[in-house]
Amino acid sequence: MRPAQRRTALPAALVALALTVTACGGDDSSGSDEPHGVAKSKAAAPETWPLTGLEAKGSTDEDHPALVVKMDNTEASSPQQGLGSADMVVEELVEGGITRLAAFYYSQIPGVVGPVRSMRASDIGIVSPIDGTIVTSGGAGVTINRIKGADIPFVTEGSAGFRRDDTRIAPYNLFADLGAVAKATEDGKDSRPEDYLPWGSDSDFKGGKPATSLTADFGGSHSTEWSYQGGHYVNTNSFAPADDQFSADSVLVLRVDIGDAGYLDPAGNHVPETKFVGDGDALLFHDGKVEEGTWHKDELTSPVTLSTSGGSMKVPAGHTFIELVPIDSKGGAITYAK
């Protein structure tokens, strides 16, 4: 069971409205399979979405946790599927100097996404602040034990919605129908995750230095390149097709320390672990500019707080791509230009 203390109740006014609508609905001619006189619970939407800070309009029929899909991020994954529907994406270092994506879905649930890959211990600090459920191909035994020890639910092959694409080569052929996954993870709670980031508006953004291009170098065989085009940041070396890429309103770079997860992958590489706790430098790219500050997390389960020398840093509401770039001493680097 997910720890309830990390979920917050929906506004009372919205809950009351939902109850009023249910009470005044009259005859139900929807063809529901529910017994006569038993109304199906329908969770009211939150006022804002926790993974984007954007206004939530209407209501949602699917009362599911935030789903975090572990997605491959190598050329073998091309074309990635469903990335453009994510609320937020986090990029993390894995073994061999490559990266993997944690794609977050909550405000909208697409169909098929993937390729779905395995978990890492780094995911504890990434997923637990919003009490999410990981959609994954599995993980090493030590990783699974740590994920379970952190009380993070996960679903994997053999669960509802998972399938193999025979036109692709394993292990890059596992995909998940998130509609089926979301249905299977409904919990009947009128609640929402905590805000993942300190959301604000464009007026809160204090960036002044021009930054229309940036490169996040993970210190191995992969760098992620961004270009500010048409009001959004475009990942110019994405493995997603042009019509299904993640359109970032902001790119948030957090410099992190990297440790050793304590085991080797099948190729004999040491598996790194992102230390997503404590504090470090932060760079917020928005509207073709950059704001410098610091990030802080008291515990792995804590939300991220951001600050500058002048006070708090807020991320303008929208779709954000978070780059967990290793600190310089671990080989990582961030460069940007006008």
Side-chain angles (χ1 to χ4, degrees):
M1 180 178 294
R2 295 185 304 279
Q5 65 269 25
R6 294 201 299 271
R7 295 169 68 92
T8 56
L10 291 175
L14 286 176
V15 175
L17 176 60
L19 293 174
T20 301
V21 171
T22 302
C24 301
D27 292 337
D28 180 6
S29 57
S30 64
S32 171
D33 292 330
E34 296 291 340
H36 179 70
V38 177
K40 182 179 178 180
S41 173
K42 184 175 182 180
E47 292 177 333
T48 59
W49 295 118
L51 301 178
T52 65
L54 295 171
E55 179 184 1
K57 300 178 180 179
S59 60
T60 176
D61 291 322
E62 295 170 335
D63 184 19
H64 54 77
L67 301 176
V68 185
V69 178
K70 293 307 304 293
M71 192 176 295
D72 191 82
N73 195 42
T74 65
E75 188 173 0
S77 68
S78 182
Q80 295 163 329
Q81 190 168 343
L83 196 60
S85 299
D87 283 340
M88 183 182 73
V89 179
V90 177
E91 184 171 18
E92 61 186 286
L93 181 69
V94 293
E95 59 276 11
I98 63 174
T99 64
R100 194 153 290 174
L101 304 181
F104 288 64
Y105 300 87
Y106 187 68
S107 70
Q108 61 175 328
I109 299 297
V112 176
V113 301
V116 178
R117 297 300 306 277
S118 56
M119 303 177 288
R120 296 292 184 275
S122 304
D123 296 323
I124 296 173
I126 294 171
V127 175
S128 58
I130 45 87
D131 197 17
T133 293
I134 304 177
V135 180
T136 177
S137 64
V142 62
T143 297
I144 290 175
N145 288 337
R146 290 186 60 183
I147 295 289
K148 288 181 176 179
D151 292 325
I152 299 176
F154 63 91
V155 291
T156 188
E157 190 170 12
S159 303
F162 284 81
R163 65 172 178 82
R164 292 279 176 177
D165 183 347
D166 293 337
T167 67
R168 300 202 187 200
I169 299 173
Y172 309 101
N173 65 344
L174 181 63
F175 289 79
D177 180 343
L178 281 196
V181 174
K183 184 67 177 177
T185 56
E186 289 180 357
D187 57 13
K189 296 178 180 178
D190 288 336
S191 56
R192 71 187 284 277
E194 298 282 356
D195 285 345
Y196 197 90
L197 294 171
W199 301 114
S201 64
D202 282 348
S203 62
D204 295 311
F205 179 65
K206 306 304 181 185
K209 186 183 298 184
T212 57
S213 66
L214 65 129
T215 299
D217 187 343
F218 284 80
S221 57
H222 179 76
S223 296
T224 300
E225 300 169 357
W226 295 92
S227 175
Y228 185 68
Q229 303 174 15
H232 300 277
Y233 287 88
V234 177
N235 179 190
T236 56
N237 61 339
S238 173
F239 297 110
D243 62 352
D244 198 17
Q245 290 188 13
F246 182 79
S247 181
D249 298 299
S250 302
V251 176
L252 177 61
V253 177
L254 306 179
R255 305 304 303 274
V256 295
D257 193 11
I258 302 293
D260 191 326
Y263 65 97
L264 305 178
D265 73 355
N269 296 306
H270 286 275
V271 177
E273 180 178 348
T274 297
K275 301 296 185 181
F276 200 18
V277 67
D279 48 46
D281 292 333
L283 294 168
L284 175 59
F285 295 86
H286 181 77
D287 195 29
K289 304 178 183 67
V290 61
E291 181 177 6
E292 300 180 359
T294 57
W295 66 270
H296 180 77
K297 268 168 65 79
D298 286 324
E299 300 175 347
L300 289 174
T301 57
S302 303
V304 176
T305 60
L306 302 169
S307 60
T308 67
S309 58
S312 63
M313 176 191 288
K314 293 185 180 297
V315 179
H319 293 86
T320 303
F321 195 106
I322 301 176
E323 301 277 20
L324 298 181
V325 178
I327 57 178
D328 294 343
S329 63
K330 300 296 184 178
I334 177 73
T335 56
Y336 58 90
K338 182 176 179 180

